[in-house]
Amino acid sequence: MRAASGPLWICVLACVCTRQAIAGVFILKRLFAILIALLPGAVLAVDPPYQPQMERLAEILGSLYMLAPLCGQEEIDWRAQMAELIALDEPDADRRARLAGAFNAGYESYARFYRTCTPSAELALERLLTEGAALAQDIHTQFAE
């Protein structure tokens, strides 16, 4: 009988220790989660007040980059204009990515519909040039140092 109780006692002890270990791990996980929640989050950069206008301007430049050569207006390299705008603004990596994304979205939005220069493409080009010039002037007037 004694031989049987020895292994049984070890089995019960192992079971209790395993339950305590599992409970301890559970408690440690909860404490870790609470500590993580209490830590301050990553500091996020604050966008300048002109960021929405800059993203719209980037989108317009992307559209112009697609439409202008299609309609024979190749005297201005709109992609180079966008690169210069980004260089002058000196955005952080996140803002740079958003500006590039807006440029690409503008390009793609017109590339889906236009393969040749049509009267509606010429009208869109004219409107984009007008809006882009006005937007660039507004940004400069309101936010230039």
Side-chain angles (χ1 to χ4, degrees):
M1 196 89 171
R2 189 127 174 109
S5 67
L8 181 60
W9 178 79
I10 292 172
C11 184
V12 169
L13 182 60
C15 185
V16 169
C17 288
T18 303
R19 285 185 182 175
Q20 287 176 345
I22 290 171
V25 168
F26 178 73
I27 290 170
L28 285 175
K29 284 183 179 178
R30 293 202 57 154
L31 285 174
F32 185 70
I34 291 169
L35 286 174
I36 294 293
L38 292 176
L39 291 174
V43 177
L44 299 176
V46 177
D47 286 344
Y50 55 87
Q51 181 64 22
Q53 293 96 327
M54 285 287 286
E55 287 182 27
R56 177 61 185 145
L57 184 58
E59 186 178 2
I60 289 169
L61 291 173
S63 301
L64 291 170
Y65 182 64
M66 191 278 160
L67 284 175
L70 195 67
C71 291
Q73 297 182 13
E74 298 184 23
E75 54 275 354
I76 299 175
D77 181 359
W78 296 106
R79 187 168 182 256
Q81 293 291 315
M82 181 66 202
E84 185 179 342
L85 182 68
I86 288 175
L88 290 171
D89 191 42
E90 300 177 347
D92 61 18
D94 177 57
R95 287 188 54 238
R96 178 182 296 269
R98 286 186 282 152
L99 291 171
F103 181 89
N104 292 337
Y107 180 92
E108 291 167 4
S109 67
Y110 283 92
R112 281 188 218 121
F113 299 108
Y114 294 102
R115 302 282 184 247
T116 60
C117 187
T118 63
S120 65
E122 288 178 342
L123 180 61
L125 185 59
E126 182 182 321
R127 288 181 179 172
L128 288 165
L129 286 168
T130 302
E131 182 184 356
L135 192 53
Q137 182 63 40
D138 287 347
I139 292 170
H140 179 74
T141 302
Q142 292 179 13
F143 304 106
E145 294 181 79

